[in-house]
Amino acid sequence: ALFHAIFFSRGRTPFYRKKGNRRHFETLDGDKKAWELSQCMAEFWGTEHPPVRKNLEFFVKLRNKIEHRSMPGLDIAIFGECQALLFNFEDLLTKEFGNKQAINESLSLALQFSCYRNEQQQLAIRKLHKGLAKDIRSYIDAFRTSLSAEELQDMQFSYKVFLFPKP
């Protein structure tokens, strides 16, 4: 939806046109068929592949693999990429539409509901991760290894921080 808003604001119509008649749009269930996220990325960035796009590409393919599955064990494995996705969204939103449209002020700070994990908790987490579908874990590992060290370490691809308690 953000990409669609960007295209509309730039005077572009993010819908597929009919091949035989470019003045008319393709329809799906009576509505104009809008560009999906992959098409929006191609239109927005063209041949450029910045870390922001790499982050989105990671999630598009991951979403396609896990669609309609419940995989809570996946959360901790991709937390950095998820955090980067949120920051990238907010950054693009404010760059295109100004600080007035920012959502960061209306959202709460994410809180971690855990502290140091004991050995039993670590074992439980490992057991939970063992249940991850192997194709999902393989996809994540393959995607990450396909990136250069620079791309992998870029905070726009995966946001990694250490949190320390302040007594």
Side-chain angles (χ1 to χ4, degrees):
L2 175 57
F3 278 120
H4 291 169
I6 291 168
F7 294 130
F8 281 123
S9 75
R10 294 179 178 179
R12 292 192 63 197
T13 307
F15 299 115
Y16 288 102
R17 295 191 179 271
K18 288 188 175 183
K19 289 179 176 58
N21 186 345
R22 305 282 302 152
R23 292 189 315 163
H24 293 95
F25 297 99
E26 289 184 29
T27 58
L28 182 64
D29 295 329
D31 295 316
K32 292 178 188 172
K33 184 177 176 187
W35 295 340
E36 69 281 342
L37 184 54
S38 295
Q39 183 65 33
C40 287
M41 292 186 317
E43 296 288 336
F44 187 78
W45 281 295
T47 59
E48 295 178 40
H49 290 273
V52 175
R53 182 176 182 171
K54 291 285 187 188
N55 177 264
L56 275 173
E57 289 171 351
F58 172 77
F59 278 103
V60 167
K61 292 175 186 170
L62 182 63
R63 178 201 62 201
N64 293 344
K65 288 185 172 295
I66 66 171
E67 194 170 28
H68 306 301
R69 291 188 196 174
S70 175
M71 302 188 69
L74 187 60
D75 297 350
I76 198 164
I78 60 169
F79 177 81
E81 287 88 348
C82 291
Q83 190 63 63
L85 181 69
L86 292 173
F87 287 152
N88 295 340
F89 180 88
E90 179 77 354
D91 186 50
L92 184 57
L93 178 68
T94 57
K95 280 182 182 173
E96 293 291 330
F97 299 103
N99 289 333
K100 187 175 180 179
Q101 301 302 321
I103 57 174
N104 63 354
E105 304 238 348
S106 62
L107 299 176
S108 303
L109 175 67
L111 300 175
Q112 286 295 118
F113 289 102
S114 63
C115 54
Y116 176 77
R117 293 184 176 99
N118 64 36
E119 193 173 326
Q120 289 175 326
Q121 290 170 319
Q122 293 287 13
L123 287 172
I125 288 171
R126 275 192 224 113
K127 186 177 179 181
L128 182 63
H129 282 215
K130 201 176 198 179
L132 281 178
K134 289 184 182 182
D135 63 322
I136 303 295
R137 191 69 221 181
S138 296
Y139 163 73
I140 293 169
D141 293 340
F143 193 95
R144 287 176 177 164
T145 57
S146 74
L147 300 174
S148 68
E150 185 178 317
E151 290 172 322
L152 192 57
Q153 294 172 6
D154 193 299
M155 297 286 264
Q156 289 183 313
F157 173 71
S158 182
Y159 188 83
K160 299 169 202 80
V161 296
F162 289 101
L163 301 175
F164 297 98
K166 182 179 175 183

